[in-house]
Amino acid sequence: MVRAMIPGGLIGTYVIYRDRKPHYIGRSDTNLQRRLLEHCATARGNYFAYDIHTTREQAFAAECSLFHALRPLTNILHPDRPDHEHPQCPFCPDSIAAVLENRLRTPNL
């Protein structure tokens, strides 16, 4: 089914479900099809959902979103940044605090 649904060579994120609950989230920066086939071989879950992304940075942000929103998961470690790129997780408390601190302030009316 994975081979029929997802062409090779795409960047993407995924959620693997077990017993109707999110169990594991992940990302592939090179070949989403191959990564999901690896999970199928280890029988991590019952079914999956996926999204295709145009850049590794978009996939990283989406994976971070899933990691923060769907806990608890079997993922213990925060998603790793894409190779040779340094985006900040837009959902970590430090990133949110920095955005709030640097936002434009309007005078009280």
Side-chain angles (χ1 to χ4, degrees):
M1 168 137 33
V2 172
R3 284 187 184 94
M5 292 175 54
I6 306 169
L10 296 176
I11 297 169
T13 54
Y14 55 91
V15 180
I16 296 176
Y17 293 85
R18 181 181 286 170
D19 301 324
R20 297 184 176 175
K21 295 179 185 172
H23 178 68
Y24 182 85
I25 58 114
R27 171 183 96 235
S28 175
D29 292 336
T30 57
N31 193 333
L32 179 62
Q33 180 193 71
R34 184 185 69 230
R35 188 73 179 116
L36 284 169
L37 287 170
E38 290 169 0
H39 285 302
C40 289
T42 61
R44 267 191 197 260
N46 308 107
Y47 60 97
F48 65 91
Y50 69 96
D51 284 306
I52 304 299
H53 304 282
T54 55
T55 67
R56 296 182 305 174
E57 189 171 287
Q58 287 176 345
F60 172 70
E63 184 185 24
C64 290
S65 169
L66 294 168
F67 178 80
H68 287 281
L70 299 178
R71 288 196 216 173
L73 297 161
T74 56
N75 302 68
I76 296 171
L77 300 177
H78 190 279
D80 199 13
R81 295 175 182 169
D83 290 340
H84 311 293
E85 296 180 25
H86 304 287
Q88 296 286 350
C89 170
F91 303 98
C92 281
D94 292 344
S95 296
I96 294 170
V99 167
L100 292 175
E101 185 176 306
N102 294 314
R103 73 178 189 260
L104 294 174
R105 291 181 173 78
T106 57
N108 291 337
L109 300 175

mmCIF file of all heavy atoms in Angstrom, residues 19-55:
data_model
loop_
_atom_site.group_PDB
_atom_site.id
_atom_site.type_symbol
_atom_site.label_atom_id
_atom_site.label_comp_id
_atom_site.label_asym_id
_atom_site.label_seq_id
_atom_site.Cartn_x
_atom_site.Cartn_y
_atom_site.Cartn_z
ATOM 1 N N ASP A 19 -3.702 1.107 18.111
ATOM 2 C CA ASP A 19 -4.933 1.081 18.913
ATOM 3 C C ASP A 19 -5.637 2.438 18.880
ATOM 4 O O ASP A 19 -6.066 2.970 19.907
ATOM 5 C CB ASP A 19 -4.635 0.676 20.361
ATOM 6 C CG ASP A 19 -3.985 -0.694 20.442
ATOM 7 O OD1 ASP A 19 -4.351 -1.571 19.634
ATOM 8 O OD2 ASP A 19 -3.099 -0.881 21.295
ATOM 9 N N ARG A 20 -5.725 3.015 17.683
ATOM 10 C CA ARG A 20 -6.429 4.282 17.431
ATOM 11 C C ARG A 20 -5.806 5.508 18.089
ATOM 12 O O ARG A 20 -6.419 6.555 18.157
ATOM 13 C CB ARG A 20 -7.897 4.180 17.834
ATOM 14 C CG ARG A 20 -8.670 3.169 17.056
ATOM 15 C CD ARG A 20 -10.107 3.188 17.438
ATOM 16 N NE ARG A 20 -10.841 2.257 16.605
ATOM 17 C CZ ARG A 20 -12.105 1.992 16.771
ATOM 18 N NH1 ARG A 20 -12.786 2.563 17.737
ATOM 19 N NH2 ARG A 20 -12.704 1.139 15.970
ATOM 20 N N LYS A 21 -4.603 5.385 18.592
ATOM 21 C CA LYS A 21 -3.929 6.515 19.228
ATOM 22 C C LYS A 21 -2.598 6.767 18.536
ATOM 23 O O LYS A 21 -1.927 5.826 18.117
ATOM 24 C CB LYS A 21 -3.676 6.216 20.709
ATOM 25 C CG LYS A 21 -4.934 6.071 21.511
ATOM 26 C CD LYS A 21 -4.603 5.756 22.945
ATOM 27 C CE LYS A 21 -5.878 5.492 23.725
ATOM 28 N NZ LYS A 21 -5.598 5.011 25.069
ATOM 29 N N PRO A 22 -2.192 8.054 18.440
ATOM 30 C CA PRO A 22 -0.862 8.327 17.884
ATOM 31 C C PRO A 22 0.197 7.616 18.719
ATOM 32 O O PRO A 22 0.200 7.701 19.945
ATOM 33 C CB PRO A 22 -0.723 9.842 18.016
ATOM 34 C CG PRO A 22 -2.115 10.352 18.134
ATOM 35 C CD PRO A 22 -2.892 9.271 18.823
ATOM 36 N N HIS A 23 1.062 6.898 18.046
ATOM 37 C CA HIS A 23 2.076 6.097 18.725
ATOM 38 C C HIS A 23 3.486 6.633 18.461
ATOM 39 O O HIS A 23 4.315 6.672 19.354
ATOM 40 C CB HIS A 23 1.963 4.647 18.256
ATOM 41 C CG HIS A 23 2.965 3.720 18.835
ATOM 42 N ND1 HIS A 23 2.977 3.362 20.163
ATOM 43 C CD2 HIS A 23 4.013 3.076 18.261
ATOM 44 C CE1 HIS A 23 3.980 2.539 20.386
ATOM 45 N NE2 HIS A 23 4.633 2.349 19.246
ATOM 46 N N TYR A 24 3.728 7.047 17.218
ATOM 47 C CA TYR A 24 5.069 7.464 16.830
ATOM 48 C C TYR A 24 4.949 8.486 15.710
ATOM 49 O O TYR A 24 4.115 8.325 14.813
ATOM 50 C CB TYR A 24 5.863 6.246 16.354
ATOM 51 C CG TYR A 24 7.293 6.543 15.969
ATOM 52 C CD1 TYR A 24 8.285 6.561 16.933
ATOM 53 C CD2 TYR A 24 7.634 6.808 14.653
ATOM 54 C CE1 TYR A 24 9.603 6.836 16.586
ATOM 55 C CE2 TYR A 24 8.943 7.078 14.295
ATOM 56 C CZ TYR A 24 9.922 7.094 15.269
ATOM 57 O OH TYR A 24 11.220 7.369 14.926
ATOM 58 N N ILE A 25 5.772 9.532 15.743
ATOM 59 C CA ILE A 25 5.803 10.501 14.655
ATOM 60 C C ILE A 25 7.197 10.522 14.059
ATOM 61 O O ILE A 25 8.173 10.179 14.728
ATOM 62 C CB ILE A 25 5.383 11.917 15.115
ATOM 63 C CG1 ILE A 25 6.283 12.431 16.240
ATOM 64 C CG2 ILE A 25 3.952 11.934 15.566
ATOM 65 C CD1 ILE A 25 7.090 13.601 15.844
ATOM 66 N N GLY A 26 7.270 10.895 12.795
ATOM 67 C CA GLY A 26 8.577 10.939 12.164
ATOM 68 C C GLY A 26 8.590 11.794 10.914
ATOM 69 O O GLY A 26 7.569 12.347 10.495
ATOM 70 N N ARG A 27 9.777 11.861 10.320
ATOM 71 C CA ARG A 27 9.992 12.702 9.142
ATOM 72 C C ARG A 27 11.060 12.045 8.279
ATOM 73 O O ARG A 27 11.962 11.395 8.785
ATOM 74 C CB ARG A 27 10.480 14.067 9.627
ATOM 75 C CG ARG A 27 10.952 14.993 8.555
ATOM 76 C CD ARG A 27 11.493 16.304 9.131
ATOM 77 N NE ARG A 27 12.947 16.260 9.268
ATOM 78 C CZ ARG A 27 13.609 16.494 10.397
ATOM 79 N NH1 ARG A 27 12.987 16.761 11.510
ATOM 80 N NH2 ARG A 27 14.916 16.442 10.404
ATOM 81 N N SER A 28 10.931 12.254 6.989
ATOM 82 C CA SER A 28 12.010 11.881 6.085
ATOM 83 C C SER A 28 12.355 13.097 5.244
ATOM 84 O O SER A 28 11.478 13.708 4.633
ATOM 85 C CB SER A 28 11.629 10.728 5.171
ATOM 86 O OG SER A 28 12.685 10.492 4.250
ATOM 87 N N ASP A 29 13.621 13.457 5.238
ATOM 88 C CA ASP A 29 14.085 14.585 4.440
ATOM 89 C C ASP A 29 14.510 14.158 3.038
ATOM 90 O O ASP A 29 14.896 14.998 2.231
ATOM 91 C CB ASP A 29 15.271 15.273 5.128
ATOM 92 C CG ASP A 29 14.862 15.976 6.412
ATOM 93 O OD1 ASP A 29 13.675 16.330 6.555
ATOM 94 O OD2 ASP A 29 15.732 16.160 7.287
ATOM 95 N N THR A 30 14.443 12.854 2.750
ATOM 96 C CA THR A 30 14.905 12.365 1.452
ATOM 97 C C THR A 30 13.920 11.429 0.751
ATOM 98 O O THR A 30 13.741 11.525 -0.451
ATOM 99 C CB THR A 30 16.245 11.621 1.592
ATOM 100 O OG1 THR A 30 16.077 10.552 2.531
ATOM 101 C CG2 THR A 30 17.350 12.558 2.061
ATOM 102 N N ASN A 31 13.293 10.501 1.488
ATOM 103 C CA ASN A 31 12.437 9.506 0.843
ATOM 104 C C ASN A 31 11.401 8.977 1.838
ATOM 105 O O ASN A 31 11.637 7.990 2.540
ATOM 106 C CB ASN A 31 13.300 8.364 0.292
ATOM 107 C CG ASN A 31 12.534 7.460 -0.641
ATOM 108 O OD1 ASN A 31 11.318 7.316 -0.539
ATOM 109 N ND2 ASN A 31 13.244 6.840 -1.559
ATOM 110 N N LEU A 32 10.257 9.630 1.874
ATOM 111 C CA LEU A 32 9.187 9.254 2.798
ATOM 112 C C LEU A 32 8.730 7.813 2.570
ATOM 113 O O LEU A 32 8.489 7.074 3.526
ATOM 114 C CB LEU A 32 8.008 10.215 2.649
ATOM 115 C CG LEU A 32 6.790 9.959 3.523
ATOM 116 C CD1 LEU A 32 7.147 10.085 4.996
ATOM 117 C CD2 LEU A 32 5.675 10.912 3.147
ATOM 118 N N GLN A 33 8.631 7.415 1.327
ATOM 119 C CA GLN A 33 8.207 6.043 1.019
ATOM 120 C C GLN A 33 9.118 5.017 1.694
ATOM 121 O O GLN A 33 8.653 4.091 2.352
ATOM 122 C CB GLN A 33 8.200 5.817 -0.491
ATOM 123 C CG GLN A 33 7.778 4.414 -0.896
ATOM 124 C CD GLN A 33 8.085 4.126 -2.348
ATOM 125 O OE1 GLN A 33 9.250 3.977 -2.710
ATOM 126 N NE2 GLN A 33 7.039 4.074 -3.159
ATOM 127 N N ARG A 34 10.423 5.190 1.528
ATOM 128 C CA ARG A 34 11.383 4.246 2.120
ATOM 129 C C ARG A 34 11.249 4.207 3.647
ATOM 130 O O ARG A 34 11.254 3.137 4.251
ATOM 131 C CB ARG A 34 12.809 4.618 1.711
ATOM 132 C CG ARG A 34 13.841 3.602 2.236
ATOM 133 C CD ARG A 34 15.273 4.013 1.950
ATOM 134 N NE ARG A 34 15.596 5.188 2.758
ATOM 135 C CZ ARG A 34 16.153 6.295 2.279
ATOM 136 N NH1 ARG A 34 16.468 6.402 1.014
ATOM 137 N NH2 ARG A 34 16.404 7.306 3.080
ATOM 138 N N ARG A 35 11.098 5.378 4.248
ATOM 139 C CA ARG A 35 10.995 5.435 5.717
ATOM 140 C C ARG A 35 9.750 4.708 6.213
ATOM 141 O O ARG A 35 9.811 3.960 7.186
ATOM 142 C CB ARG A 35 10.983 6.901 6.159
ATOM 143 C CG ARG A 35 11.069 7.069 7.647
ATOM 144 C CD ARG A 35 12.497 6.738 8.119
ATOM 145 N NE ARG A 35 12.569 6.937 9.551
ATOM 146 C CZ ARG A 35 12.813 5.971 10.430
ATOM 147 N NH1 ARG A 35 13.049 4.744 10.022
ATOM 148 N NH2 ARG A 35 12.850 6.226 11.710
ATOM 149 N N LEU A 36 8.622 4.902 5.551
ATOM 150 C CA LEU A 36 7.399 4.211 5.968
ATOM 151 C C LEU A 36 7.490 2.708 5.726
ATOM 152 O O LEU A 36 6.974 1.918 6.523
ATOM 153 C CB LEU A 36 6.185 4.806 5.264
ATOM 154 C CG LEU A 36 5.745 6.154 5.819
ATOM 155 C CD1 LEU A 36 4.713 6.806 4.904
ATOM 156 C CD2 LEU A 36 5.191 6.013 7.229
ATOM 157 N N LEU A 37 8.160 2.295 4.658
ATOM 158 C CA LEU A 37 8.350 0.859 4.423
ATOM 159 C C LEU A 37 9.192 0.231 5.532
ATOM 160 O O LEU A 37 8.936 -0.904 5.943
ATOM 161 C CB LEU A 37 8.992 0.613 3.053
ATOM 162 C CG LEU A 37 8.062 0.841 1.861
ATOM 163 C CD1 LEU A 37 8.858 0.809 0.561
ATOM 164 C CD2 LEU A 37 6.938 -0.177 1.849
ATOM 165 N N GLU A 38 10.182 0.966 6.037
ATOM 166 C CA GLU A 38 10.975 0.466 7.164
ATOM 167 C C GLU A 38 10.091 0.250 8.391
ATOM 168 O O GLU A 38 10.227 -0.746 9.096
ATOM 169 C CB GLU A 38 12.098 1.453 7.499
ATOM 170 C CG GLU A 38 13.182 1.524 6.457
ATOM 171 C CD GLU A 38 14.138 2.696 6.667
ATOM 172 O OE1 GLU A 38 13.963 3.467 7.640
ATOM 173 O OE2 GLU A 38 15.052 2.848 5.849
ATOM 174 N N HIS A 39 9.182 1.177 8.643
ATOM 175 C CA HIS A 39 8.270 1.018 9.783
ATOM 176 C C HIS A 39 7.302 -0.152 9.572
ATOM 177 O O HIS A 39 6.959 -0.850 10.521
ATOM 178 C CB HIS A 39 7.494 2.301 10.045
ATOM 179 C CG HIS A 39 8.309 3.368 10.687
ATOM 180 N ND1 HIS A 39 8.941 3.203 11.899
ATOM 181 C CD2 HIS A 39 8.608 4.627 10.280
ATOM 182 C CE1 HIS A 39 9.587 4.313 12.212
ATOM 183 N NE2 HIS A 39 9.403 5.187 11.248
ATOM 184 N N CYS A 40 6.852 -0.352 8.343
ATOM 185 C CA CYS A 40 5.959 -1.485 8.048
ATOM 186 C C CYS A 40 6.649 -2.803 8.385
ATOM 187 O O CYS A 40 6.019 -3.733 8.888
ATOM 188 C CB CYS A 40 5.543 -1.486 6.581
ATOM 189 S SG CYS A 40 4.416 -0.176 6.140
ATOM 190 N N ALA A 41 7.949 -2.873 8.119
ATOM 191 C CA ALA A 41 8.707 -4.101 8.376
ATOM 192 C C ALA A 41 8.817 -4.392 9.872
ATOM 193 O O ALA A 41 8.932 -5.548 10.276
ATOM 194 C CB ALA A 41 10.097 -4.004 7.756
ATOM 195 N N THR A 42 8.763 -3.355 10.702
ATOM 196 C CA THR A 42 8.889 -3.556 12.152
ATOM 197 C C THR A 42 7.535 -3.576 12.855
ATOM 198 O O THR A 42 7.481 -3.741 14.068
ATOM 199 C CB THR A 42 9.756 -2.452 12.787
ATOM 200 O OG1 THR A 42 9.132 -1.181 12.560
ATOM 201 C CG2 THR A 42 11.152 -2.448 12.209
ATOM 202 N N ALA A 43 6.453 -3.404 12.098
ATOM 203 C CA ALA A 43 5.080 -3.462 12.637
ATOM 204 C C ALA A 43 4.896 -2.545 13.843
ATOM 205 O O ALA A 43 4.419 -2.956 14.887
ATOM 206 C CB ALA A 43 4.698 -4.898 12.967
ATOM 207 N N ARG A 44 5.279 -1.289 13.701
ATOM 208 C CA ARG A 44 5.132 -0.314 14.785
ATOM 209 C C ARG A 44 3.686 0.025 15.098
ATOM 210 O O ARG A 44 3.383 0.452 16.194
ATOM 211 C CB ARG A 44 5.850 0.983 14.424
ATOM 212 C CG ARG A 44 7.235 1.060 14.922
ATOM 213 C CD ARG A 44 7.746 2.482 14.735
ATOM 214 N NE ARG A 44 9.171 2.513 14.836
ATOM 215 C CZ ARG A 44 9.818 2.885 15.921
ATOM 216 N NH1 ARG A 44 9.174 3.288 16.979
ATOM 217 N NH2 ARG A 44 11.122 2.863 15.945
ATOM 218 N N GLY A 45 2.793 -0.066 14.107
ATOM 219 C CA GLY A 45 1.413 0.351 14.347
ATOM 220 C C GLY A 45 0.436 -0.301 13.403
ATOM 221 O O GLY A 45 0.798 -1.138 12.588
ATOM 222 N N ASN A 46 -0.833 0.124 13.518
ATOM 223 C CA ASN A 46 -1.908 -0.435 12.714
ATOM 224 C C ASN A 46 -2.122 0.319 11.404
ATOM 225 O O ASN A 46 -2.490 -0.259 10.397
ATOM 226 C CB ASN A 46 -3.221 -0.416 13.500
ATOM 227 C CG ASN A 46 -3.081 -1.055 14.864
ATOM 228 O OD1 ASN A 46 -3.078 -0.350 15.859
ATOM 229 N ND2 ASN A 46 -2.932 -2.362 14.915
ATOM 230 N N TYR A 47 -1.941 1.636 11.441
ATOM 231 C CA TYR A 47 -2.097 2.449 10.244
ATOM 232 C C TYR A 47 -1.322 3.746 10.424
ATOM 233 O O TYR A 47 -0.783 4.014 11.495
ATOM 234 C CB TYR A 47 -3.568 2.712 9.913
ATOM 235 C CG TYR A 47 -4.344 3.436 10.983
ATOM 236 C CD1 TYR A 47 -4.538 4.815 10.916
ATOM 237 C CD2 TYR A 47 -4.904 2.750 12.060
ATOM 238 C CE1 TYR A 47 -5.250 5.480 11.892
ATOM 239 C CE2 TYR A 47 -5.626 3.411 13.037
ATOM 240 C CZ TYR A 47 -5.804 4.782 12.946
ATOM 241 O OH TYR A 47 -6.510 5.430 13.914
ATOM 242 N N PHE A 48 -1.269 4.558 9.360
ATOM 243 C CA PHE A 48 -0.496 5.794 9.417
ATOM 244 C C PHE A 48 -1.206 6.892 8.646
ATOM 245 O O PHE A 48 -2.088 6.641 7.832
ATOM 246 C CB PHE A 48 0.915 5.578 8.859
ATOM 247 C CG PHE A 48 0.936 5.240 7.391
ATOM 248 C CD1 PHE A 48 1.029 6.247 6.437
ATOM 249 C CD2 PHE A 48 0.860 3.920 6.968
ATOM 250 C CE1 PHE A 48 1.038 5.935 5.089
ATOM 251 C CE2 PHE A 48 0.871 3.598 5.621
ATOM 252 C CZ PHE A 48 0.965 4.616 4.674
ATOM 253 N N ALA A 49 -0.788 8.118 8.927
ATOM 254 C CA ALA A 49 -1.189 9.296 8.159
ATOM 255 C C ALA A 49 0.096 10.011 7.763
ATOM 256 O O ALA A 49 1.102 9.916 8.473
ATOM 257 C CB ALA A 49 -2.073 10.210 8.999
ATOM 258 N N TYR A 50 0.075 10.708 6.646
ATOM 259 C CA TYR A 50 1.294 11.374 6.209
ATOM 260 C C TYR A 50 0.970 12.699 5.528
ATOM 261 O O TYR A 50 -0.160 12.932 5.095
ATOM 262 C CB TYR A 50 2.101 10.481 5.264
ATOM 263 C CG TYR A 50 1.449 10.277 3.914
ATOM 264 C CD1 TYR A 50 1.810 11.075 2.829
ATOM 265 C CD2 TYR A 50 0.481 9.302 3.718
ATOM 266 C CE1 TYR A 50 1.219 10.901 1.593
ATOM 267 C CE2 TYR A 50 -0.112 9.120 2.491
ATOM 268 C CZ TYR A 50 0.251 9.920 1.433
ATOM 269 O OH TYR A 50 -0.337 9.751 0.221
ATOM 270 N N ASP A 51 1.971 13.556 5.440
ATOM 271 C CA ASP A 51 1.902 14.813 4.700
ATOM 272 C C ASP A 51 3.181 14.965 3.895
ATOM 273 O O ASP A 51 4.262 14.600 4.360
ATOM 274 C CB ASP A 51 1.784 16.013 5.643
ATOM 275 C CG ASP A 51 0.397 16.157 6.232
ATOM 276 O OD1 ASP A 51 -0.572 16.204 5.447
ATOM 277 O OD2 ASP A 51 0.280 16.233 7.464
ATOM 278 N N ILE A 52 3.044 15.526 2.715
ATOM 279 C CA ILE A 52 4.180 15.816 1.846
ATOM 280 C C ILE A 52 4.553 17.284 2.042
ATOM 281 O O ILE A 52 3.676 18.143 2.155
ATOM 282 C CB ILE A 52 3.815 15.559 0.364
ATOM 283 C CG1 ILE A 52 3.323 14.127 0.161
ATOM 284 C CG2 ILE A 52 4.992 15.889 -0.550
ATOM 285 C CD1 ILE A 52 4.317 13.053 0.513
ATOM 286 N N HIS A 53 5.858 17.577 2.057
ATOM 287 C CA HIS A 53 6.341 18.948 2.230
ATOM 288 C C HIS A 53 7.318 19.274 1.114
ATOM 289 O O HIS A 53 7.986 18.384 0.572
ATOM 290 C CB HIS A 53 7.013 19.113 3.592
ATOM 291 C CG HIS A 53 6.115 18.728 4.720
ATOM 292 N ND1 HIS A 53 5.119 19.545 5.190
ATOM 293 C CD2 HIS A 53 6.035 17.589 5.447
ATOM 294 C CE1 HIS A 53 4.473 18.936 6.172
ATOM 295 N NE2 HIS A 53 5.005 17.742 6.336
ATOM 296 N N THR A 54 7.426 20.563 0.789
ATOM 297 C CA THR A 54 8.308 20.952 -0.310
ATOM 298 C C THR A 54 9.737 21.211 0.141
ATOM 299 O O THR A 54 10.656 21.159 -0.680
ATOM 300 C CB THR A 54 7.766 22.203 -1.036
ATOM 301 O OG1 THR A 54 7.570 23.245 -0.087
ATOM 302 C CG2 THR A 54 6.445 21.887 -1.720
ATOM 303 N N THR A 55 9.935 21.495 1.440
ATOM 304 C CA THR A 55 11.296 21.729 1.932
ATOM 305 C C THR A 55 11.519 20.955 3.225
ATOM 306 O O THR A 55 10.569 20.608 3.935
ATOM 307 C CB THR A 55 11.553 23.228 2.229
ATOM 308 O OG1 THR A 55 10.750 23.634 3.347
ATOM 309 C CG2 THR A 55 11.254 24.095 1.019
#
